[in-house]
Structures are given as C-alpha cells and as structure tokens.
Amino acid sequence: MESSIHPLAKKTVIYYLMTTSILLIFMMILGVIMLLNQGEMIQISPEWFYKIMTAHGIGMVGVAALGGTSIMWYFLSKYIKLRPSIFLQNFTLSLIGIILIVIAIFGFNFSDAWTFLYPLPAQSAQFYGVTGPLLFLFGVLILGVGYLIMYAYLAARLIKEYGGLGKSLGWDYIFRGKKGYGPPPAVVATTMVVITNSTAVIAGAIVIIGSIINILIPAISMDPMLAKHLTYAFGHVFCNATIYMAVIAVYEVLSHYTKRPWKSNKAFLIAWNASTLFTLMIYTHHLLMDFAVPTWMLIIGQVFSYANGLPVMVVTAYGALMIVYRSGIKWDFASSLLFLAMFGWVAGAIPAIIDATIVVNHVMHNTKWVPGHFHTYMGMGVIAMILGFMYYFNKKEGSMKHNHFDTFSIALYFTFFTGIVGSFLYAGSMSTPRRWAVHMPEWVLSDQIGAISGIFVVLATVLITVRFFTGLKGVGKTT
C-alpha cells in the first residue's frame, strides 16, 4: 500500500535539500581552494589549509548524509506512516552540530581532519585551547545523536510494520521459502542503513566521549589502536550509509519513469543482506598499514572489501540497465543524473578495490589515489543521486520541467568531475601524498588540472542549485 508523505515532512524535505545544496557549494569551493594552493595558483598558510581540509572533509560527509536522509524519508513515507517530528528533530540537531563544528574550525583553529584521530584533539587543545576540540567533538556527537534517535524510531516502525528487521530485510523469502517478492527496495535499504549506521554511530560516540574525557582529564587515556578502530568503524560506515540511503532514489525514480516496478527478488534481497554484514567489517582496510592489527582482521579487511563492492552495486547497476532497456523512458534531469550515478558508483568502487589489496595499500593508501576513488563514488555517485532527487522532488511536488539548460548543467558537471577524479587518480599513481598543504614541482600539474576542473564543477552545481530554488516556488503551492 502506498501513502502520501505528511505535509510537514514534505516541508522538512525542502529544508534538508536547501541546506544540502548551499553547503555543497561552499564545501566544493573549499575543495577548489585547496587544489589552487597545492597547484601554486594561490597561496594560503598551512594553518588555513588544514582548517579548510577539516571543514571540507566532514562537511561533504554531512552534505551526503543530509541529502541521503531526505531521499530515504521521502520514499519510505510511501510505504510506512512516519512521524514528521522525528525527521525535523534530526534536521535541527544536525544543524546545531554543523554550527558547532564550523565555529570550532574557523573560530578556534581546530584542524585535526574529519577523522579527529585520538590523541590529536588533546594535542590540539595544548596549542589552541580546549574550546575548539570540545566544540568540534560535541558538534559531531550531537549530529550523531540526532541520527541515532531517527534510526531507533525507524527501527521501531519497521518492526511494527513487518514483524522484525529480519523480515524487512526479506528473510522470509531467503530462508523460509516464502513465494513472491520481498518488501519494497526502499524498505530493504532503510533496514540495512538502520542496522549498520546505528552500530557506526554508537562506535563513534564511544571514541568521541573518550576523547572529550581525555581533553578534560588528561590522566584518563584510551588505547590509540582501539580508538582508531572505533573512529573508522564510525567514519567509514557512516560514509557508506549515505550512498545506501541515496540509492533509494534510483529504485523509486527509475521505476516511476519506466512504469516498471523494481521488484525485490531473492537475488536482490541476498545482495542487500550480504552488504549489511560486509559494510560492518570492511572498515579494517583503513588499518592495513598498522602492523599491530591482528593478521586475521587485515585479511577480513582485504577479502570483504573485494566482496562488498559486488552485491548491492552489481544488482543495482544491472537492475538499472534492465529496467531502462526498451522502456521508452523519457530522459530528463532526474532520470539522467540517477542513471549516470550508477556509473559513478561502479567506477568509484574499482580504485577502492585496488587500494584494498595489501601490497598496493602499503604504497597507495596515503596518496591522492584514495580521494580519487572517494570523489568518484561520492561526487559522481551520491551527490549525483541527491541532485537528481532535487529535480525529481520539484517535478513531482511542483511543476518543474526539463530544458536545454539542464542538459548543459549535467554535461558540465560530469565532464569536469571526471577531470577532478582523473587528476587525483593520476596523482596517486605517481605517489603524490594526500593531506599535504605544499606539493613538490612534479605534482603541481595534476593539482592545477584538478583545480580548473573543480571551478567548472562549482559553476555547474551553482546552476543546478539556482534551478532547484526557482523550482521550489511551484512546490510551495502544494505544501
């Protein structure tokens, strides 16, 4: 049974998307500034570079999370009646967390990167005072609490509606031989996100609270390796969850455009169940260079990083091709971006799988190869899905129509985003380090190519955002 989204939730989707689009432009500008500095086209101090790097890293994850959440809630509302106050509460706590993080970075000089690896916050406190690290950590903690509350509520609704999270993941069809098709893809994906990201946020809360205590009471310390595990169990899974939320738009929108239902067959359900398990395990590929980590854990990091790239990604990419094939689909901004996002997701996974090989990882992991893969699946995958949903939302809830301006924006965005990720991957292949404010002469050319490409990507994103805001006028009449 399908139901309509609550009017308050619809307005809250607009709040999410407005915030997402504005933050996206600012975060992209910060990324371009870093590339311009590395490419010796402008000059900023190392102190400012690392503040910008910190803001860009955590800011882009926040952008993806806000956009992905709006997609998940909007489409899940078709199948389950949801209380919009929870949705609004998560937005409010996210906004508070973002404000605290921005104040910490630019007001109190916190520049320990989005990973805030222990004991860096405490060491930063010795140089710049405790205010910056505490504001940053409390900001991330508040943001995480907002998501944990939302996931707990969604888990309760899924359990009530389907009789358990196992059933909303399709276990009746996988293990008990139930005939037909499982729960809608939006329900299956939401269940996966609730399980994996709740675990991630709890891991993050533990290490954040430990860091806060260490700053206030230095005598109380944590094991640095345990802290690193908790940090990456939080950060890596949280980043992954953004694409699993955003991909719901691919299922729903392409199904709507082709008038072909995207069915949850057994292969689809098995893929999502496998990814639920694998996503919780593969953060260990960030620890392949840590000799103190048990060998069995490093093997898990390598093997399951290979495996995780296949289940959902292959099923979704193949499904997108099949649902579109001979469907007579009308290509517009939403359908084009969501279809192209499949390319971004698949293309981004390839260098990630290469980097997950231990012998390669030892050479490549601390190079620009890693932001190369990350920007591919994030910028050309997750963000493309969010931008596509922004157009779809205005079209579905308002009266927005595709024009040649939109076609130009898509071409501009994907052409020059390919330039960014290409420059990163090329730089990584010749061992250009990531997170360095100053580069050697032989690395500068790739930085300049990335910077110029980035400027055009920002321009394309501004054009897309302007179209989104102008389209909201029609939506306002229906909300």
Side-chain angles (χ1 to χ4, degrees):
M1 294 290 293
E2 290 194 6
S3 60
S4 59
I5 186 171
H6 191 283
L8 177 58
K10 193 184 295 184
K11 290 181 180 179
T12 307
V13 168
I14 295 174
Y15 301 152
Y16 271 83
L17 295 179
M18 289 172 66
T19 305
T20 296
S21 57
I22 293 170
L23 282 177
L24 176 62
I25 292 171
F26 279 111
M27 292 305 110
M28 284 182 168
I29 291 172
L30 293 182
V32 170
I33 290 173
M34 286 191 289
L35 286 170
L36 289 170
N37 180 73
Q38 290 172 330
E40 299 179 353
M41 301 168 79
I42 64 170
Q43 186 172 358
I44 59 176
S45 67
E47 289 80 8
W48 265 98
F49 178 91
Y50 293 114
K51 287 196 288 187
I52 290 172
M53 184 187 76
T54 302
H56 175 76
I58 197 161
M60 286 304 296
V61 175
V63 164
L66 286 172
T69 301
S70 66
I71 291 171
M72 179 178 69
W73 193 282
Y74 180 81
F75 288 115
L76 187 64
S77 297
K78 291 173 55 179
Y79 309 105
I80 301 177
K81 188 175 181 180
L82 300 175
R83 190 189 308 162
S85 59
I86 301 294
F87 190 37
L88 184 58
Q89 180 187 63
N90 180 65
F91 175 76
T92 304
L93 290 176
S94 295
L95 210 56
I96 293 171
I98 290 168
I99 292 170
L100 291 179
I101 290 168
V102 170
I103 294 173
I105 294 171
F106 296 108
F108 294 93
N109 300 311
F110 184 83
S111 57
D112 294 1
W114 75 268
T115 49
F116 53 89
L117 279 176
Y118 173 87
L120 287 178
Q123 293 174 349
S124 178
Q126 295 174 8
F127 287 96
Y128 299 110
V130 300
T131 306
L134 289 180
L135 282 175
F136 184 91
L137 293 172
F138 273 113
V140 178
L141 187 62
I142 290 170
L143 195 148
V145 167
Y147 275 90
L148 198 59
I149 292 172
M150 182 181 69
Y151 291 144
Y153 170 73
L154 291 177
R157 293 295 299 123
L158 289 165
I159 290 169
K160 184 176 180 179
E161 191 74 22
Y162 290 93
L165 295 180
K167 289 187 176 181
S168 60
L169 274 176
W171 287 8
D172 284 354
Y173 301 87
I174 298 173
F175 302 114
R176 298 186 181 96
K178 188 174 181 179
K179 302 300 181 183
Y181 297 100
V187 171
V188 177
T190 299
T191 306
M192 182 271 192
V193 170
V194 165
I195 294 171
T196 57
N197 226 17
S198 295
T199 306
V201 171
I202 291 170
I206 293 170
V207 72
I208 289 171
I209 292 171
S211 290
I212 291 171
I213 293 172
N214 178 248
I215 291 170
L216 297 175
I217 311 173
I220 301 177
S221 60
M222 287 187 291
D223 178 80
M225 185 58 73
L226 172 62
K228 186 173 182 180
H229 275 262
L230 290 170
T231 301
Y232 278 103
F234 163 57
H236 186 271
V237 175
F238 196 93
C239 290
N240 271 225
T242 63
I243 198 163
Y244 295 127
M245 292 189 287
V247 78
I248 294 172
V250 175
Y251 299 138
E252 293 287 339
V253 175
L254 291 184
S255 178
H256 173 75
Y257 273 59
T258 59
K259 296 180 173 58
R260 294 174 174 176
W262 198 308
K263 298 176 180 179
S264 298
N265 56 29
K266 186 174 285 189
F268 180 90
L269 295 171
I270 291 172
W272 273 96
N273 276 267
S275 195
T276 302
L277 178 62
F278 296 169
T279 299
L280 291 171
M281 301 164 65
I282 62 170
Y283 79 89
T284 46
H285 70 223
H286 287 282
L287 309 170
L288 294 179
M289 291 188 291
D290 295 326
F291 63 87
V293 176
T295 302
W296 63 267
M297 191 170 285
L298 299 182
I299 293 172
I300 286 176
Q302 177 168 346
V303 172
F304 285 98
S305 291
Y306 289 166
N308 192 54
L310 299 176
V312 173
M313 184 180 67
V314 170
V315 167
T316 302
Y318 178 76
L321 289 171
M322 291 300 99
I323 204 170
V324 165
Y325 182 65
R326 291 187 175 179
S327 67
I329 186 173
K330 183 179 179 181
W331 294 105
D332 64 6
F333 190 92
S335 57
S336 299
L337 263 184
L338 289 166
F339 192 76
L340 285 170
M342 291 295 91
F343 163 76
W345 191 6
V346 173
I350 294 170
I353 291 172
I354 293 172
D355 182 62
T357 306
I358 291 178
V359 293
V360 176
N361 187 277
H362 284 174
V363 178
M364 303 286 281
H365 194 72
N366 280 335
T367 72
K368 277 194 152 184
W369 183 269
V370 170
H373 106 73
F374 188 79
H375 280 75
T376 307
Y377 95 76
M378 185 64 79
M380 301 173 74
V382 183
I383 299 301
M385 293 175 192
I386 294 170
L387 295 175
F389 172 70
M390 287 163 56
Y391 176 93
Y392 174 81
F393 179 83
N394 278 353
K395 180 181 178 182
K396 182 82 161 99
E397 306 295 342
S399 56
M400 196 169 186
K401 294 183 179 179
H402 184 83
N403 59 31
H404 295 302
F405 181 86
D406 296 323
T407 304
F408 171 75
S409 298
I410 294 172
L412 191 67
Y413 184 87
F414 267 86
T415 298
F416 286 99
F417 221 113
T418 303
I420 293 176
V421 299
S423 71
F424 282 174
L425 292 172
Y426 173 75
S429 70
M430 60 179 186
S431 297
T432 306
R434 58 183 172 135
R435 297 180 181 149
W436 280 29
V438 180
H439 279 182
M440 295 176 67
E442 55 266 36
W443 303 333
V444 167
L445 179 60
S446 63
D447 298 325
Q448 293 173 342
I449 294 172
I452 294 169
S453 298
I455 291 170
F456 284 101
V457 169
V458 172
L459 174 61
T461 308
V462 170
L463 296 176
I464 293 168
T465 302
V466 169
R467 276 282 284 161
F468 168 68
F469 274 88
T470 56
L472 286 176
K473 295 177 182 178
V475 176
K477 295 175 183 177
T478 62
T479 56

